[in-house]
Amino acid sequence: MATHKLLLLPGDGIGPEIAGALKKVIAWFDARGGGGVYSIEEDVVGGAAYDRHGVAISDAAMALAQESDAVLFGAVGGPKWASVPYEVRPEAGLLRLRKDLGLFANLRPAICYPALAESSSLKREIVEGLDILIVRELTGGVYFGEPKEIIDLGNGQKRGIDTQIYDTYEIERIARVAFDLARTRSNKVASAEKHNVMKSGVLWKEVVTALHGRDYTDVKLEHILADNCAMQLVRAPKQFDVIVCDNLFGDILSDVAAMLTGSLGMLPSAALGAADPMTGRRKSMYEPVHGSAPDIAGTGAANPIAMIASFAMALRYSLGQVAEADLLEAAIAAALATGVRTRDIGGGEASVGTEVMTDAILAALERLSA
Ligand code: IPM
Ligand code: MG
C-alpha cells in the first residue's frame, strides 16, 4: 500500500488551529483506508521557526520538505515579528520553500459555493456559479529578481530597488501549465501582463502567443492588461476561465478573485514544481490563500475550509487520489449547505468556530461515503 509522506507546517497565528482541523480530516481518510497510509511529519515555519531557531525555516525542515510527497502549509506572520531582520521575517520561510523546491506553478482556484453566493460583496448574479483558476508564476519576477536592495545615495536620499525579470523558459512553462489545465475546464486562457509599460510584459505576451500558436491552437487565448483584468474581475468575473500571470500580478489578482467568492477563508492553493522526467512526480506545497489572521488567532474562530480544501488539492495533484479529492470537496459543499457558517462567511450571531465547522465536514464525509 502506498505511503504518502506529508510535511505539515502549521506556522503562526491561526495556522496551528487550521492545521489541527486538517489533522482530523487526514485521520478520517487514514481510518477509512483504501487510499494508502499517511505519514505526517510536523515542523515549525515563519515566526514560530524564528522563535525556536532564529530563522524563518530551518535546514532540517527544508530537508523534510524536499523528501515529502506534499507539504501542507498553514500561514505565517504576525505583529510579534514586525521588527525582526528582513532576511528572517516569517514570509522568508514561505519564499524559501517556494524557491528551493522549484514550485513555479501556483494554482489558485476561486469557486463560489452556491451556499455562499450571498456572502460575497458583489451581487449574487455576478458571482453565482463562479469557477475561475488563477495560474500564478511563483518563483520568478519581482519577488526574486536581483538587484533587490535599498542603497544610500549619500545625499540624504535612499533608493529602493526591486527587479522584475522573466526568461523565456519561465514564461513558457507557466503558460503550458495554464493551457493544459484550461483543456480540462472551459478551454479559455486570459494572459495578464502590462506590455504597455513593461519590457517583461512585452516578452511575456510574445512567448505566450508563440507557445499558443505552436501547441495550443485549440485553446482560446486572450491577452489582457493586468489592470483591466482586475477591473473585469469585479465587473464580470464569470467571463474568465483560466488566468495566467506573473508572480506579483498573481498575488494581487488572486486576492481580488478570492474575495469574489465570499471570503478569503475559503480558498485553497497548490504550488507545483516541474514533473520529474523519470517518475512524473512533482514537488508540491498546498496552502490556504489567506494569512495568519493574528486578530482571531487562539480564539478558535478560524475558518478551516481553505486549509482542508488545500488538502483536497493535494489528494488530486500529488497523491493520485482523485476520487478522494472529489469526495472531500463535495463534503465541504455539503457541510455549507447544512447552513453551518464561521464568522468570515456571514455566520453572524450564529457563527460556529473551527471545531464545529470541521466536525460538520467530517459528518458530511461520513454521509457521502456511506
Ligand atoms: C500569498 C502571500 C505571500 C505572497 C506573502 C505572505 C509573502 O500574500 O501567498 O499570496 O506575497 O506571495
Ligand atoms: Mg497574497
Side-chain angles (χ1 to χ4, degrees):
M1 199 163 23
T3 298
H4 307 295
K5 285 172 74 174
L6 306 175
L7 173 64
L8 185 60
L9 298 172
D12 310 320
I14 60 170
E17 292 161 68
I18 57 174
L22 175 59
K23 279 195 257 187
K24 290 190 201 167
V25 171
I26 297 174
W28 186 90
F29 279 98
D30 224 351
R32 175 174 180 251
V37 177
Y38 301 91
S39 89
I40 309 181
E41 297 270 6
E42 198 169 323
D43 212 324
V44 286
V45 69
Y50 177 79
D51 289 347
R52 196 177 299 174
H53 306 296
V55 288
I57 187 162
S58 68
D59 291 343
M62 282 305 305
L64 286 174
Q66 292 282 5
E67 285 159 20
S68 67
D69 293 315
V71 178
L72 305 167
F73 186 98
V76 290
K80 182 175 172 201
W81 304 281
S83 50
V84 305
Y86 185 80
E87 291 66 37
V88 294
R89 74 199 186 287
E91 291 77 8
L94 177 58
L95 296 177
R96 180 173 177 199
L97 280 159
R98 290 175 179 170
K99 193 66 175 176
D100 287 10
L101 298 180
L103 308 176
F104 69 90
N106 190 201
L107 279 38
R108 298 190 159 190
I111 292 167
C112 184
Y113 289 86
L116 289 185
E118 288 307 334
S119 45
S120 171
S121 50
L122 299 191
K123 296 192 195 84
R124 171 183 273 278
E125 60 270 24
I126 291 181
V127 295
E128 199 167 27
L130 181 77
D131 181 357
I132 59 190
L133 176 65
I134 296 194
V135 177
R136 168 188 179 191
E137 200 291 324
L138 201 60
T139 50
V142 76
Y143 273 61
F144 297 99
E146 296 284 349
K148 187 180 197 62
E149 60 189 342
I150 297 175
I151 52 178
D152 201 325
L153 298 178
N155 57 354
Q157 294 286 306
K158 290 182 182 176
R159 178 172 294 158
I161 305 174
D162 292 284
T163 308
Q164 165 87 341
I165 303 183
Y166 273 107
D167 291 355
T168 305
Y169 81 96
E170 293 177 289
I171 302 169
E172 209 169 275
R173 67 183 178 180
I174 193 70
R176 203 172 273 290
V177 169
F179 286 129
D180 285 339
L181 286 166
R183 280 180 174 159
T184 70
R185 301 167 45 94
S186 302
N187 221 24
K188 257 173 36 183
V189 171
S191 170
E193 33 63 17
K194 285 278 293 174
H195 70 265
N196 54 346
V197 281
M198 298 169 79
K199 285 291 182 186
S200 57
V202 173
L203 182 67
W204 184 281
K205 187 175 178 195
E206 203 175 287
V207 172
V208 172
T209 304
L211 177 67
H212 178 253
R214 225 164 44 237
D215 293 343
Y216 295 97
T217 47
D218 58 303
V219 181
K220 191 166 174 294
L221 170 66
E222 170 198 13
H223 299 283
I224 185 166
L225 293 172
D227 53 343
N228 184 29
C229 185
M231 188 270 275
Q232 295 296 337
L233 270 174
V234 287
R235 192 187 69 84
K238 283 189 266 183
Q239 68 184 286
F240 295 112
D241 178 26
V242 174
I243 296 173
V244 63
C245 54
D246 77 8
N247 205 342
L248 183 61
F249 294 144
D251 181 41
I252 297 165
L253 295 176
S254 63
D255 263 30
V256 176
M259 203 53 216
L260 299 174
T261 69
S263 166
L264 215 46
M266 297 295 300
L267 293 198
S269 76
L272 307 174
D276 181 298
M278 304 297 277
T279 63
R281 216 186 121 230
R282 291 172 187 271
K283 292 220 162 60
S284 63
M285 178 161 73
Y286 297 85
E287 56 168 310
V289 172
H290 64 69
S292 60
D295 52 325
I296 59 163
T299 66
N303 183 351
I305 290 182
M307 183 83 248
I308 293 171
S310 295
F311 181 63
M313 291 188 88
L315 289 167
R316 187 179 307 283
Y317 293 111
S318 291
L319 308 179
Q321 295 183 259
V322 175
E324 285 79 358
D326 289 341
L327 172 65
L328 183 51
E329 283 166 3
I332 294 170
L336 289 169
T338 66
V340 56
R341 299 279 185 277
T342 45
R343 187 163 299 278
D344 59 300
I345 48 175
E349 287 298 299
S351 292
V352 303
T354 314
E355 209 169 314
V356 173
M357 181 57 95
T358 306
D359 289 345
I361 293 168
L362 293 170
L365 280 170
E366 287 292 337
R367 278 200 309 282
L368 293 174
S369 62

